[in-house]
Amino acid sequence: MTALSDFFKATRVARHVALTSVSGDRSPATVSRWENGLIDITSEVIGHALTPLGMDFEDLTIRHLVADVDDCSWAAVAAERWDRTTVAALRDNFQAQRDLDNDTPYTRFVIAMLNELLRVHDAQSQQLSPDIVALVTAYTQGVTAYGSAEGVLIEAAIEYAPAAAGCLWMQPLYDGVMTRPNAASLRMKRRLLAFGGVVGNAAVLADDRPILKQVLGMMADVLGTMPDDPIAAYNYNILLRLDDYLQDKSAANRQAVAAVIKTTQLIYPTGYFESFAAYAIAQDWVTAADLEGA
Amino acid sequence: METFQVAFGKYLNDYRKARRIPLGTLAQGRGTTLSRFFNHGNNISLQMITDTMRRMGLTYADLTSNFPRFDAAFTSAVNTLIANRYAADERLIREIATGYLQDTAAADGPIAVLNRQVMQHVLQVSVSRRPALLPDGIQATIEQVLMSNADWLVYDYLLLRLGMVYLDDARLGRCYQMLRERMATMRPGYQHYANDAMLQFGIVCLARRTPMLVPTYPTDLAQIQVSGYSFQDALVINAIRRLFRNSVRLKTGPGELEAVFEVTATLHLTQIEGYLRRLLAVASGEAEGVFV
């Protein structure tokens, strides 16, 4: 018996579903052998066998019945949750895999990125080396969907990359989504807009309005294919108002930036407004007085 | 349409090629088996798929984001309905329900039958645009399914989430209590499904003008904002909390949502604003409406 086969059988029995209902093209005896752990469960289970049970593959991942490795460790790569020990262990793990029998462009990319992020944090340099910028640019070309590790690494790297490079890295994802917008998942669109928020922020800080315009254009296109989403709308509108403000630092444009920041009180958990407000004041985009009454 | 197996094999093969990963590195001496799966969708062991994905840095969680057909048909249909709920696009609702009924016409077993009955009802209500409860027998089956499993799956949260608008008040209240009980012991991965069901409960109560159906509801809703915040729905959760602030008497005047409407105007969230204004109209008895 395995945990997966136990779970499969227990759910089927609890829901009074007959073996014949889940067997599809297979014989009920085959499914019975799965359930009793006598033979390996095959790929067919992903497509059809779970549905008659009211079971989804996500249930298997939530319950760790199929293994997604290192999924917790990757959170340590993000700047706000940086944990040097965990990141170094991840790097060593990939290095060992590569040395053993898994030397691929993917493992080489991961090792190089983890090494670079360790260097950036150790040296507090805030800037990726040109070699790594070139590596990410080459790696991301033609890649229209990221695995979670790739997504975490590239999202972390964008923080330390020139806005123009970040924009270039966004382009294949954007092309992938916009080629067939109805087929692209909402989660994919949200990830793209989150990338846009980081790249756009870098463009604002560098006063690079052509790149900012390019990012805003991509974000507007993607937003136009989605149902209303407050977080995505915030990421877009704050950049739009900052673009106006960079062009004309008038009181009215500053107030418009402040109005968008104030929305974070209702669209984010408690405490986010304070950190957004402090960041915007530190960048001299708004004053504390602009945010009064919020 | 190509079978799931063929589409899945092709997806993984395309993922591999985009990263220029040699087949031989993935296959570990079983190149022919893997190649047949990639190119023809031949059956292979789940363990081999897991190993192959791991070597490419692809997780099952990634598949649910990037490969839409990976979700079960019911999960996919209900998630799409939920994602588009603020748009209240009747044509889209009909398209999703009809698509589901066509895709699962041959599915067998009690769960498959129940799902089709519920989705058929969604379709009928969408066509008539008038609130209507499910037939009593189907309501009882939903309650029975939810009761039969002490440890809910994604399916159970979604069945409740989709079905609650079509349950009578007594069943709705009982199913809500089951939700509360399951949430106390559920795994974190189910949090957003549970949150969404809890939010929908408030919307259904507002639309029926039954704020006291579950007296603990305002506190429960406040709790999910602390324990497991749903970023995408935070604004609407805040709106519903404002309407429930006085749990003895609903507060449904437009002024209650003034701050929320300032946000929708600033961020151009016209669908959410329209949705909340319709909810206010229904909650104050000025209009009729169904909130899927």
Side-chain angles (χ1 to χ4, degrees), chain B residues 145-243:
Chain B
V145 167
L146 296 177
M147 265 197 317
S148 71
N149 195 346
D151 185 7
W152 280 2
L153 307 175
V154 167
Y155 170 76
D156 300 291
Y157 291 101
L158 289 178
L159 178 65
L160 174 60
R161 161 64 185 80
L162 179 67
M164 60 171 58
V165 70
Y166 312 113
L167 300 179
D168 65 40
D169 286 352
R171 276 211 173 81
L172 179 60
R174 289 198 296 273
C175 289
Y176 179 82
Q177 293 300 350
M178 276 193 257
L179 171 67
R180 287 187 80 219
E181 286 162 19
R182 301 313 191 262
M183 285 178 79
T185 55
M186 73 185 172
R187 288 165 176 79
Y190 293 114
Q191 184 80 54
H192 68 281
Y193 292 107
N195 287 357
D196 197 67
M198 190 166 270
L199 172 62
Q200 177 69 358
F201 177 82
I203 290 166
V204 173
C205 288
L206 283 166
R208 292 184 188 177
R209 298 188 289 285
T210 53
M212 288 302 289
L213 191 59
V214 175
T216 61
Y217 180 71
T219 318
D220 296 342
L221 197 56
Q223 185 58 36
I224 67 169
Q225 285 197 300
V226 177
S227 63
Y229 213 86
S230 167
F231 275 31
Q232 259 65 40
D233 286 322
L235 180 63
V236 177
I237 290 175
N238 271 311
I240 302 304
R241 282 190 67 192
R242 280 168 155 73
L243 297 176

Side-chain angles (χ1 to χ4, degrees), chain A:
Chain A
M1 282 284 195
T2 65
L4 177 56
S5 57
D6 279 347
F7 180 62
F8 191 91
K9 185 173 186 177
T11 306
R12 186 183 63 75
V13 171
R15 296 182 183 221
H16 313 292
V17 178
L19 273 174
T20 49
S21 296
V22 295
S23 59
D25 296 335
R26 299 161 301 275
S27 70
T30 299
V31 180
S32 177
R33 285 197 288 274
W34 281 358
E35 287 188 346
N36 292 305
L38 299 174
I39 55 172
D40 275 351
I41 289 185
T42 61
S43 51
E44 285 168 295
V45 76
I46 300 173
H48 302 291
L50 299 179
T51 300
L53 296 177
M55 195 187 288
D56 208 287
F57 210 81
E58 189 174 355
D59 293 304
L60 307 187
T61 57
I62 288 173
R63 290 154 191 268
H64 305 295
L65 295 169
V66 288
D68 274 349
V69 289
D70 292 329
D71 49 359
C72 298
S73 304
W74 288 108
V77 171
E80 65 276 15
R81 295 176 68 180
W82 177 257
D83 178 337
R84 194 189 193 287
T85 308
T86 306
V87 174
L90 263 177
R91 186 265 322 271
D92 293 346
N93 179 314
F94 270 84
Q95 187 67 56
Q97 281 184 42
R98 182 184 166 182
D99 293 345
L100 186 65
D101 62 359
N102 193 20
D103 185 6
T104 68
Y106 167 70
T107 46
R108 288 195 288 274
F109 172 77
V110 172
I111 293 164
M113 292 295 285
L114 291 172
N115 274 329
E116 178 67 356
L117 288 168
L118 285 163
R119 184 195 69 76
V120 163
H121 281 268
D122 287 349
Q124 298 183 322
S125 77
Q126 301 296 315
Q127 214 170 13
L128 294 182
S129 70
D131 287 354
I132 291 292
V133 171
L135 172 74
V136 180
T137 303
Y139 188 84
T140 52
Q141 295 315 297
V143 175
T144 54
Y146 296 155
S148 39
E150 291 168 341
V152 166
L153 286 169
I154 293 168
E155 208 162 311
I158 279 180
E159 299 257 0
Y160 310 107
C167 189
L168 205 57
W169 301 348
M170 274 182 75
Q171 190 71 47
L173 278 191
Y174 169 80
D175 292 341
V177 165
M178 293 309 293
T179 303
R180 294 176 63 205
N182 292 335
S185 74
L186 209 48
R187 278 184 248 192
M188 178 74 86
K189 292 175 183 178
R190 284 176 180 151
R191 165 164 266 173
L192 181 55
L193 289 165
F195 273 31
V198 179
V199 178
N201 185 59
V204 171
L205 295 177
D207 204 1
D208 190 340
R209 292 192 62 233
I211 290 294
L212 181 55
K213 291 267 186 225
Q214 208 175 323
V215 172
L216 280 168
M218 285 196 256
M219 292 174 82
D221 289 346
V222 176
L223 274 173
T225 69
M226 292 169 61
D228 272 3
D229 181 322
I231 306 299
Y234 173 80
N235 284 336
Y236 174 72
N237 279 282
I238 190 68
L239 292 175
L240 196 63
R241 298 281 82 89
L242 284 169
D243 184 35
D244 293 340
Y245 182 64
L246 287 181
Q247 190 179 20
D248 173 11
K249 295 188 174 173
S250 66
N253 282 341
R254 212 178 61 231
Q255 288 295 333
V257 173
V260 176
I261 293 171
K262 286 179 189 176
T263 67
T264 59
Q265 292 174 109
L266 288 184
I267 66 170
Y268 279 101
T270 311
Y272 275 61
F273 166 73
E274 286 72 17
S275 72
F276 284 136
Y279 179 76
I281 291 168
Q283 300 303 327
D284 215 15
W285 295 335
V286 294
T287 65
D290 293 327
L291 297 170
E292 271 175 16

Side-chain angles (χ1 to χ4, degrees), chain B residues 247-266:
Chain B
S247 61
V248 177
R249 184 179 59 83
L250 282 178
K251 303 178 82 172
T252 55
E256 294 300 325
L257 297 186
E258 198 176 325
V260 173
F261 289 143
E262 263 182 50
V263 171
T264 56
T266 303

